[in-house]
Each structure stands twice: as C-alpha cells, then as structure tokens.
Amino acid sequence: MIDISWTTVAHNIVAPEGPASDQQNNVYLVSRWTGRVLKVDANGQVSDVVHTGGKPQSVAFLQSGDLLLADAENHALQRITPEGVLTTVADTVEGQHFLGPNDLVVGAGSVVYMTDPGLNFAEPGRILRIEIDSGRTSILSNGHHFPNGITITADGRYLMIAESVTHRVLRFELLEGGGRLGQVEVFYQFPDHHPDGIAFDAKGNLLVTLCGSGRLAVVSPQRRIIASIPTGGSNCTNCVFGGDNFQTLYLTEDCQEAILSTNWPVPGQKQFSRSLP
C-alpha cells in the first residue's frame, strides 16, 4: 500500500495537462482550453509562457532548456525557447497534416515519439517518430483508439502507450534504433475509465492517471496493480516527476483546475522523463 497525501501547488488553471519540471523546481504545463503554456514557480505563482492559438496538450524539456509542445489544434510539434519564442518543428507526415498531437517523450538521438490521436475519440489515431533537428517524421503505428500518454522504459527497450478508449496500456519493442516498432502487446487492461498520462518511477512501477475515476493507478513491473490512489477529483490527466532528488510527483487534475504534488516513496525514473533531471 502506498500512503499519499496531495498538496495543491497552484489552482485556477483551466484544463491543466502535460506538466514538466525544470531543475529550479519550476513546473511548466498547458491549459488546454485557453491555449496557453504556463509556468508555476517554486512559490506557486502562475505566469504565461506563450499563447499558442491552439489546444496545447503536453510539454517536455530538451537539455538545452527549450520546451517541446504537442498542440492538437495547431496539428504540430512545436518548440518554445526560454524567452517564449514559439516555432514549429514538424506538422506533416507523408504529405498530410498531423491529426492532433497529444503527448510526447524525447528518446535517444534527438528523436521524439508522439501520440497523434486527433480531436475525435471515435477516429483512429497513430504514433509518430520525429527527428527534432531535421523535422523528418514517420508513422510508426496506425489504427489506435485514442493513443494518449506515452513514455519509454528506463533501458530504452520499450515504448509504452496509454490507449484511452480501450482502457489499456500498450507496449511496443523499439527496433532498429527506434526506427521501427515490434508487435503490439497489452501491458495492462483496465476494466473501465480512460488511462491518460503515464510515468515510471525508479522501481519500474508505471503510474497511470485514470481520467474519469479520480485515481492514480500504480502498475508493477509484474503487471499487477499495487496501489490505486485517490486524487481528489474525478479527472486526473497527467503526471511527471521532478523536484529535489526527483522524488516530487506532480499531477494535473481537471475538476480542481489544479496541479498537485506529493512526495513519492521512491524517485521517479530520470531517463525519458518530460522533466529535466
């Protein structure tokens, strides 16, 4: 059993999602329905970073300090400098615009893996691979039922995807240096609710925000639920580690319009985190 109590870091954030933390304990996140990327400093003060004019979904840090942004209504992977300058890294694949990006993870070799479900739960989505420097983009997998949260195992071997409509987490082996995916495998099947954002801790436990249930599920490497933690509202949307010793867990929660935090029993996985370790 994992004993958790939550602290409100900041509130009055409309539709918070996709957080990432820097090394000064600032948290960056999106406000989906207002089209903004926000910064919450270590004192809980909220400020605007940039207004995208779209529907931002998630941010992730590069080592340079720039942020990468998945924006659904801009149909693009975008980049934000520390000064707030917004540019587009890529927005097309095979001659067509992205459907509507949702979440992303930075892999080895300056490559981004991104879920691209579009804006309609009923339409099939896909998983994209994007080379940051060149913008070269490829489709790794198609036909998914709202692919959502995404991360990579610490050893770099597997890509994990939360597939919201089917209530399951999928696992793919990364082959040929991450240029191709192996056969899809169901890592965990939930009975109900929508798995949304996901993150690993240092013990290999997968934290899964279950939107609609108001709970954070913790799935062990042996694929067993070892904890189901109330989050204080029915719509938790994403989570990420950061803070001192990388042991602070940040969680976004729609109903409270808040970003919450807790001290996790072990540090988060630093490899392939959206945060800067």
Side-chain angles (χ1 to χ4, degrees):
M1 191 68 180
I2 300 176
D3 186 21
I4 287 297
S5 60
W6 299 102
T7 298
T8 300
V9 178
H11 57 87
N12 295 328
I13 300 173
V14 176
E17 245 277 32
S21 174
D22 68 13
Q23 293 167 330
Q24 288 73 48
N25 296 338
N26 301 304
V27 182
Y28 293 76
L29 72 158
V30 305
S31 171
R32 304 191 307 278
W33 297 116
T34 68
R36 295 179 298 156
V37 177
L38 304 173
K39 172 186 174 181
V40 181
D41 71 17
N43 297 313
Q45 296 299 307
V46 181
S47 58
D48 283 358
V49 176
V50 67
H51 194 294
T52 74
K55 184 173 180 275
Q57 291 288 149
S58 187
V59 293
F61 270 105
L62 296 172
Q63 287 299 317
S64 65
D66 286 5
L67 283 168
L68 291 176
L69 168 68
D71 193 300
E73 285 189 352
N74 284 337
H75 304 277
L77 172 67
Q78 298 181 296
R79 185 169 184 159
I80 307 167
T81 68
E83 297 75 31
V85 177
L86 180 71
T87 56
T88 294
V89 176
D91 57 7
T92 60
V93 59
E94 298 182 359
Q96 297 184 334
H97 283 290
F98 294 166
L99 302 174
N102 188 284
D103 206 352
L104 68 163
V105 60
V106 181
S110 296
V111 168
V112 171
Y113 299 92
M114 187 169 71
T115 51
D116 187 31
L119 295 165
N120 187 341
F121 258 45
E123 297 295 327
R126 56 200 181 182
I127 303 165
L128 304 180
R129 178 185 185 274
I130 304 166
E131 297 176 10
I132 299 171
D133 296 334
S134 68
R136 188 177 296 112
T137 303
S138 58
I139 299 171
L140 291 180
S141 188
N142 244 321
H144 296 288
H145 303 285
F146 209 87
N148 199 328
I150 183 170
T151 193
I152 297 172
T153 55
D155 59 8
R157 183 177 176 185
Y158 293 104
L159 184 71
M160 313 292 293
I161 304 289
E163 192 178 57
S164 292
V165 169
T166 60
H167 308 152
R168 60 188 184 173
V169 176
L170 306 177
R171 186 172 81 166
F172 302 83
E173 189 170 8
L174 287 164
L175 304 174
E176 298 175 8
R180 185 170 67 85
L181 298 182
Q183 288 296 311
V184 63
E185 175 186 10
V186 177
F187 180 78
Y188 194 84
Q189 177 73 62
F190 292 94
D192 51 20
H193 304 299
H194 301 303
D196 201 326
I198 56 178
F200 279 111
D201 71 16
K203 285 193 171 182
N205 299 311
L206 184 67
L207 283 58
V208 184
T209 55
L210 291 176
C211 194
S213 78
R215 305 188 80 84
L216 176 71
V218 184
V219 185
S220 74
Q222 294 75 37
R223 309 186 192 192
R224 294 194 298 268
I225 295 285
I226 59 173
S228 181
I229 301 165
T231 59
S234 61
N235 289 338
C236 50
T237 55
N238 214 325
C239 59
V240 76
F241 284 97
D244 296 335
N245 302 317
F246 223 61
Q247 203 161 341
T248 301
L249 177 68
Y250 296 102
L251 180 137
T252 48
E253 209 290 314
D254 262 13
C255 295
Q256 299 172 71
E257 296 190 337
I259 181 163
L260 311 175
S261 71
T262 191
N263 186 59
W264 198 248
V266 299
Q269 175 184 297
K270 293 183 178 180
Q271 302 92 328
F272 311 113
S273 172
R274 292 194 308 273
S275 294
L276 280 175

